[in-house]
Amino acid sequence: MKLILPAFISLSLFFGLNVNAQVNNRAALAKTILADSRLDTIQARALKLLSGFSAGTSYNEVWIRDFNTFIKGSLQAHPKEEVKNNLLMFFKIQGEDGNIVDGVVDSAKANVGYKYRYSPLLRGWAAHKNTVETDQESSLVQAVKKYIDVTGDKSILTEVIGGKTVLERMEDAFVYLQKDRWSKQYGLVTGATTIDWGDVQSESGWGVAINDKTKWTIDIYDNAMFVKALHDFEAMKPKGYKEKQNWALVAVNTTKNVRRYLWDKPTLKYIPHIYLNGSPFSPDFNEKEILYTGGSVCAIIAGFNTPAEVKEINRQMVAAAAKENHGTIGITVYPPYPAKQYPNMQPYNYQNGGDWTWFGGRMIAPLVDYGYVNEAYAELSPMLDRALANKGFFEWYDVQTGAPKGSGDFRGEAGVLYEAIRILKQWAAKN
């Protein structure tokens, strides 16, 4: 006689077996991650490189956008006071209007074509600001949050610099963005036309400074960085601290406007730009076909997307990388801008379709957070192999040839890989 189980028992058994299978799969993946010697090798090499604070061998400056991405590794390689002092330099040379510089450098080495800034609060140092970017203020606030997360040292917030606390100066930075880099029409942060998270504007000439040809725009990267910084500030501020504005509300409204104006529902991707004073590109050029990977990753980190959207964004990034022989999810944009559209940067060069682990590696943590650990491990793997094969951390890579490019000891890549591996190991240890 055939035994027929009641439906609810059959379903219970089915789901029970399914859960067990998932647990076993997680355990197997965890063991594989923990046994992967590449992870230990890369982390050890990263910590060795993070003995310094400048961006890499090609740079003398300490850049805040870079430092923000390797500060957690720096705190494993340096006493916390040394790391703290490097952060405080950016507040000591902050503009009167609240703006934050890109980089600080020994004044004896201030010999690039920048317009340098000096301050009696930071003697012996010079600084400069890339005016086409709008991520310096956000990067500094995020870096302070990471410093506190690792050290537990909240005294940095009440450090007094030029009569103001660091907390007050962070708010000044937000106020600057709302006064100098803000579109009232869209309720979003503005900047010059650059490629995704890039720092070189489209028009020919000195690409890092606003000029009479600059086309003002709104993009996802600047706004994602801003909202993440606002969230970090809210998480850091002491109980009872009286804010200059309701920054939590600013974060909510900015998020709503990102979803309203920058997220394209039919294609499930972020549009490259909203132009405020005309586009620099030909009328027949469809910029919306280009996938912005770095800004999309930052958007996910800022909490703009649902789990299903994260999965789709990742699928698009993997698909773009697969179209080139040596591509990873770090490919800046895909396809790259044609030469005639972006005279300041050739296709597949630097930020115009170059492959940057510095940004691709940032996707690993959110993938793990959303439960896509298989994808995280698989997508990190070619970045690890590349670093090992080239015996170093390079600024970017040519997706057509696989050749390493730019700075040979790029601390941004080292820091991002260090953190991605830490997150994966942490997950594996729990599973």
Side-chain angles (χ1 to χ4, degrees):
M1 184 175 75
K2 186 176 180 181
L3 178 64
I4 300 177
L5 295 173
F8 75 90
I9 295 179
S10 300
L11 289 171
S12 297
L13 287 170
F14 171 77
F15 285 120
L17 289 171
N18 189 42
V19 168
N20 288 336
Q22 289 176 358
V23 169
N24 290 335
N25 288 338
R26 285 204 304 270
L29 177 59
K31 286 180 180 179
T32 300
I33 290 171
L34 293 175
D36 190 340
S37 62
R38 296 177 303 168
L39 306 183
D40 297 328
T41 301
I42 291 292
Q43 279 196 312
R45 291 183 183 179
L47 287 180
K48 187 176 180 180
L49 179 57
L50 295 177
S51 59
F53 293 97
S54 67
T57 51
S58 298
Y59 305 99
N60 291 315
E61 299 91 347
V62 179
W63 302 82
I64 191 54
R65 58 159 33 189
D66 297 62
F67 191 23
N68 177 40
T69 62
F70 64 77
I71 187 170
K72 287 189 175 182
S74 292
L75 284 162
Q76 306 304 314
H78 299 271
K80 69 176 185 180
E81 288 301 320
E82 191 175 351
V83 177
K84 180 180 179 179
N85 288 337
N86 272 270
L87 276 178
L88 293 178
M89 287 197 297
F90 289 91
F91 291 109
K92 290 177 180 178
I93 206 160
Q94 185 174 13
E96 290 294 323
D97 60 357
N99 82 81
I100 299 297
V101 296
D102 274 77
V104 292
V105 65
D106 184 324
S107 56
K109 297 178 180 179
N111 49 21
V112 185
Y114 298 111
K115 182 179 180 181
Y116 287 98
R117 178 190 301 181
Y118 300 86
S119 169
L121 298 175
L122 193 63
R123 297 191 184 280
W125 292 83
H128 59 82
K129 185 174 181 66
N130 179 329
T131 53
V132 306
E133 296 176 36
T134 314
D135 68 346
Q136 302 95 328
E137 294 75 21
S138 301
S139 294
L140 181 55
V141 174
Q142 291 177 29
V144 172
K145 175 65 162 52
K146 292 185 177 84
Y147 169 82
I148 293 174
D149 286 345
V150 174
T151 67
D153 176 20
K154 293 186 176 181
S155 68
I156 189 173
L157 298 174
T158 52
E159 189 95 20
V160 177
I161 298 170
K164 293 182 178 181
T165 65
V166 165
L167 272 166
E168 291 171 322
R169 287 184 171 276
M170 287 193 289
E171 286 200 88
D172 286 347
F174 292 150
V175 170
Y176 160 75
L177 291 177
Q178 290 209 308
K179 286 185 177 179
D180 196 74
R181 297 298 177 95
W182 193 257
S183 167
K184 290 184 179 179
Q185 178 184 355
Y186 293 98
L188 292 168
V189 171
T190 66
T193 301
T194 62
I195 296 176
D196 197 1
W197 52 266
D199 58 0
V200 180
Q201 66 181 341
S202 57
E203 301 303 318
S204 57
W206 185 229
V208 298
I210 298 295
N211 58 39
D212 59 353
K213 296 180 181 178
T214 296
K215 296 300 182 184
W216 289 93
T217 186
I218 295 168
D219 65 31
I220 184 57
Y221 171 68
D222 292 337
N223 284 280
M225 289 290 286
F226 177 55
V227 170
K228 181 64 171 69
L230 290 172
H231 289 323
D232 285 350
F233 181 82
E234 289 299 307
M236 284 188 287
K237 71 176 185 181
K239 229 176 187 179
Y241 176 75
K242 190 173 181 180
E243 299 174 295
K244 296 180 180 180
Q245 286 190 47
N246 184 343
W247 297 116
L249 181 60
V250 173
V252 168
N253 289 334
T254 306
T255 300
K256 287 180 181 177
N257 290 332
V258 163
R259 295 290 301 188
R260 180 180 179 184
Y261 297 114
L262 289 171
W263 177 249
D264 185 45
K265 288 183 181 178
T267 60
L268 295 175
K269 60 185 282 194
Y270 288 98
I271 65 171
H273 294 109
I274 297 170
Y275 292 100
L276 303 175
N277 65 329
S279 167
F281 305 121
S282 304
D284 60 346
F285 176 61
N286 186 5
E287 190 188 17
K288 289 186 177 180
E289 292 181 350
I290 297 177
L291 175 67
Y292 270 31
T293 61
S296 297
V297 173
C298 292
I300 292 169
I301 293 170
F304 292 161
N305 295 98
T306 66
E309 290 169 352
V310 171
K311 186 175 183 179
E312 173 58 19
I313 290 170
N314 186 62
R315 186 201 66 77
Q316 292 181 27
M317 291 170 64
V318 171
K323 293 178 181 178
E324 298 296 337
N325 291 332
H326 301 276
T328 75
I329 59 168
I331 191 169
T332 325
V333 292
Y334 203 84
Y337 285 81
K340 69 175 183 178
Q341 302 295 340
Y342 218 95
N344 254 354
M345 207 177 297
Q346 292 297 301
Y348 295 105
N349 183 50
Y350 205 53
Q351 294 155 357
N352 191 13
D355 196 315
W356 297 67
T357 298
W358 186 33
F359 272 83
R362 299 185 206 187
M363 186 64 166
I364 305 308
L367 285 175
V368 173
D369 287 343
Y370 282 96
Y372 305 126
V373 186
N374 274 299
E375 290 85 347
Y377 184 50
E379 290 165 40
L380 179 65
S381 191
M383 300 184 210
L384 301 177
D385 290 339
R386 188 164 61 186
L388 291 170
N390 290 293
K391 299 178 180 178
F393 301 100
F394 283 82
E395 193 170 2
W396 63 283
Y397 301 84
D398 188 315
V399 296
Q400 297 178 305
T401 66
K405 301 283 187 176
S407 178
D409 287 317
F410 187 58
R411 291 190 173 93
E413 173 169 319
V416 165
L417 284 179
Y418 176 88
E419 184 62 12
I421 291 168
R422 187 189 68 80
I423 294 293
L424 268 179
K425 282 184 173 180
Q426 186 178 61
W427 176 89
K430 291 179 180 178
N431 287 274

